[in-house]
């Protein structure tokens, strides 16, 4: 049995120029838009690749990518990696990570991963971030599908 494709997403933006031409990002999340931009694309084999180019705003006081930036990008990547099994809104319920190496301004950071298990409401994932052949960060997380709550009606 095949699953119907998710409805068209007005919050999904596709770059039309520059280094990430053809890559996608979500524009509904103000925080990710502020700390990113973070990008993703579906590869020919169906896997998802995420990426961003390190800018000065991503750095800590030592001139390395801030750990919080790694974590924000990993959280973004959880949802991108789950794109084939996620057809509704979701939230991160668990996140674990390992910092392995530092990245500097100008580097391209890429992330790949996999869905370990997708159940009825929970999706378990893991991933890794690389800069070239250097492994920077590994992570695992769980996201939970959530139903949209009905908006309360004003009293008449």
């Amino acid at each position: 049995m095949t699953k119907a494709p998710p409805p068209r997403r007005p919050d999904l933006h596709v770059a039309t120029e520059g280094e990430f031409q053809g890559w996608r990002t979500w524009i509904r999340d103000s925080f990710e838009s502020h700390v990113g931009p973070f990008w993703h694309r579906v590869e020919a084999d169906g896997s998802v690749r995420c990426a961003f180019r390190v800018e000065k705003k991503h750095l800590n006081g030592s001139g390395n990518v801030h750990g919080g930036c790694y974590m924000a990008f990993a959280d973004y990547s959880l949802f991108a990696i789950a794109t084939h099994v996620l057809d509704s809104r979701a939230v991160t319920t668990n996140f674990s990570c390992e910092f392995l190496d530092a990245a500097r301004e100008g580097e391209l950071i890429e992330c790949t991963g996999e869905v370990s298990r997708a159940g009825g409401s929970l999706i378990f994932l893991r991933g890794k971030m690389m800069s070239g052949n250097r492994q920077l960060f590994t992570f695992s997380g769980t996201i939970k599908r959530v139903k949209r709550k009905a908006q309360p009606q004003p009293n008449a």
Side-chain angles (χ1 to χ4, degrees):
M1 180 149 118
T2 60
K3 194 175 207 177
R8 185 178 180 320
R9 296 186 55 168
D11 62 333
L12 187 64
H13 170 76
V14 179
T16 57
E17 58 187 26
E19 177 180 15
F20 294 102
Q21 182 176 356
W23 291 62
R24 304 169 183 192
T25 191
W26 292 291
I27 56 175
R28 75 174 175 272
D29 191 309
S30 298
F31 180 78
E32 285 175 357
S33 296
H34 179 72
V35 298
F38 301 139
W39 300 94
H40 67 279
R41 70 178 181 199
V42 178
E43 303 284 41
D45 65 1
S47 65
V48 175
R49 179 173 301 276
C50 304
F52 77 102
R53 177 72 61 185
V54 178
E55 299 175 28
K56 186 173 183 156
K57 69 178 181 177
H58 300 125
L59 305 179
N60 61 22
S62 297
N64 299 314
V65 173
H66 192 286
C69 181
Y70 276 168
M71 293 169 73
F73 179 53
D75 187 63
Y76 171 93
S77 298
L78 285 174
F79 290 82
I81 293 164
T83 197
H84 298 305
V85 296
L86 187 60
D87 54 4
S88 63
R89 291 197 180 266
V91 296
T92 305
T93 61
N94 186 44
F95 183 83
S96 179
C97 62
E98 297 80 32
F99 296 89
L100 304 174
D101 200 355
R104 311 278 291 179
E105 187 172 358
E107 288 188 63
L108 176 67
I109 297 182
E110 296 182 283
C111 179
T112 57
E114 65 183 357
V115 173
S116 304
R117 184 169 192 275
S121 65
L122 296 177
I123 303 168
F124 302 88
L125 306 105
R126 64 177 152 231
K128 65 181 177 180
M129 279 183 221
M130 307 284 290
S131 178
N133 292 325
R134 236 173 58 247
Q135 190 164 294
L136 304 172
F137 185 88
T138 59
F139 63 95
S140 61
T142 306
I143 56 179
K144 179 178 177 50
R145 294 178 174 100
V146 294
K147 294 180 182 167
R148 196 179 281 253
K149 293 182 180 178
Q151 294 293 327
Q153 298 299 317
N155 294 333

